[in-house]
Amino acid sequence: MDRILSGIKPTGSLTLGNYIGALKHFKDFQDQGEVFIFIADLHALTLPIDPEVLRENSRDIACFYLASGLDPKKTTIFLQSQVPQHAELNAILQNYLYMGELKRMTQFKDKCSKMNDSAIGLGIFAYPSLMASDILLYDANKVPVGEDQVQHVELARDLVNRFNHRYGDILTLPKAEVTKIGKRIMSLSDPSKKMSKSDPKGDIFLKDDPAVIRKKIMSAKTDSGSEVSYDVENKPGISNLLTIYGAMKDISPEEAAKLFTNSRYGDFKKEVANAVLEELIPFQERYQKIKESGEYLSVLKEGAQKARDVASVILKKVQHAVGLLDE
Ligand code: AQP
């Protein structure tokens, strides 16, 4: 049976990019195997964050997971920090990743390009080591991620090959599963940049008021010309909106473009806003109910227990393999 693992880090308020690239698809995995979905709160510490904001973001993600249709009877939902095996496995596996490969990671380069070395914490540099530990602790073979996280999963694969070559067949080789539609949603104000929760310019937040969402879509940056067509290079703004529309309707952006060949930009944007709100309004209502009921608290508690039970088995195998005394 497949073991499937994914997570979101609580670095900010979740965006439409997180929804389309990750959240929207999680529930579909429940019929495909054993699913582990976590809140990557330790990863959120890799860049400065206010403690109260971090706690509130973590609560929100738990509620969004449940609102997206994840069923705690089928899926183990937990907080990374409540499963100490993540940090313990990381302490071992970080010795099998090298400076050169970590320095080449695009996320590290992007996040730290404008920072002075003296301000860059070790955690952001070693991020892929903790991420590999997250995946390998659960013997996960499928890792659903957006396009930008594929490089980290590839590095986890290198690590597995390196480790297993030395110690035998201990770790499971993971594979990144990238969403077909909407693997990279771009900022509405600058379609050359990814929509990111830690860079809120041009973001649609899942908690935004519907009127605000509509306004943001109506004022999204568009391109010269007046024809709605899917052409990422020459029409990045319109292409991004077509991707968003396609993701809402489960069709490709090319198919979406065919529906709007005779539309003007303004009319097209109205339809994009309608499609987004049709899906997000009921989602927001479910989120609100779950948050108010507080049911997510017991889900997280039970999830952490289940996750610890699974994770401790693999951690023990690794500890034994590398020569830690376990008698
Ligand atoms: N713009 C996006 N388009 C498609 N997928 C996206 N994801 C994030 N942004 C987009 C996917 O959401 C999942 C959770 O992401 P994460 O929080 O673990 O890290 P991230 O990829 O770095 O997401 P952000 O929003 O850009 O966070 P910050 O700003 O904190 O770095 C992942 O599967 C991701 O691919």
Side-chain angles (χ1 to χ4, degrees), residues 100-253:
E101 52 197 3
L102 292 173
K103 273 188 196 160
R104 282 196 294 275
M105 291 295 109
T106 309
Q107 175 178 280
F108 173 69
K109 288 197 277 188
D110 284 354
K111 300 247 183 236
C112 301
S113 61
K114 294 189 193 88
M115 290 166 73
N116 191 300
D117 267 3
S118 58
I120 301 171
L122 195 55
I124 187 78
F125 183 63
Y127 186 106
S129 171
L130 181 57
M131 181 163 160
S133 307
D134 300 335
I135 298 167
L136 303 176
L137 261 185
Y138 299 92
D139 270 344
N141 57 326
K142 279 191 187 178
V143 185
V145 284
E147 199 173 42
D148 49 304
Q149 290 292 340
V150 172
Q151 198 183 28
H152 289 160
V153 182
E154 289 299 319
L155 192 57
R157 286 171 66 85
D158 292 344
L159 191 155
V160 168
N161 288 329
R162 203 170 286 160
F163 191 92
N164 286 355
H165 181 71
R166 183 149 169 199
Y167 299 107
D169 209 4
I170 308 277
L171 299 172
T172 298
L173 198 62
K175 192 167 182 300
E177 299 263 312
V178 182
T179 353
K180 283 194 188 70
I181 307 165
K183 51 192 177 187
R184 200 168 165 83
I185 301 299
M186 310 309 276
S187 154
L188 295 189
S189 58
D190 178 357
S192 68
K193 278 170 60 185
K194 185 187 125 186
M195 188 183 282
S196 251
K197 56 180 131 60
S198 60
D199 182 10
K201 230 173 130 244
D203 279 6
I204 289 179
F205 294 109
L206 299 181
K207 281 168 64 175
D208 275 345
D209 196 74
V212 172
I213 294 178
R214 185 175 291 283
K215 196 163 168 221
K216 284 183 176 176
I217 293 174
M218 292 310 293
S219 47
K221 187 163 189 259
T222 41
D223 318 292
S224 54
S226 57
E227 188 197 334
V228 176
S229 61
Y230 187 66
D231 176 351
V232 177
E233 205 168 304
N234 299 309
K235 285 188 175 264
I238 289 293
S239 299
N240 190 35
L241 291 174
L242 282 167
T243 305
I244 292 173
Y245 183 88
M248 294 297 120
K249 301 284 183 189
D250 285 322
I251 56 174
S252 69

Side-chain angles (χ1 to χ4, degrees), residues 79-90 137 308 315:
L79 273 160
Q80 184 187 30
S81 61
Q82 292 181 354
V83 183
Q85 286 84 355
H86 287 251
E88 289 182 67
L89 185 63
N90 183 40
L137 261 185
R308 284 193 292 266
L315 178 65

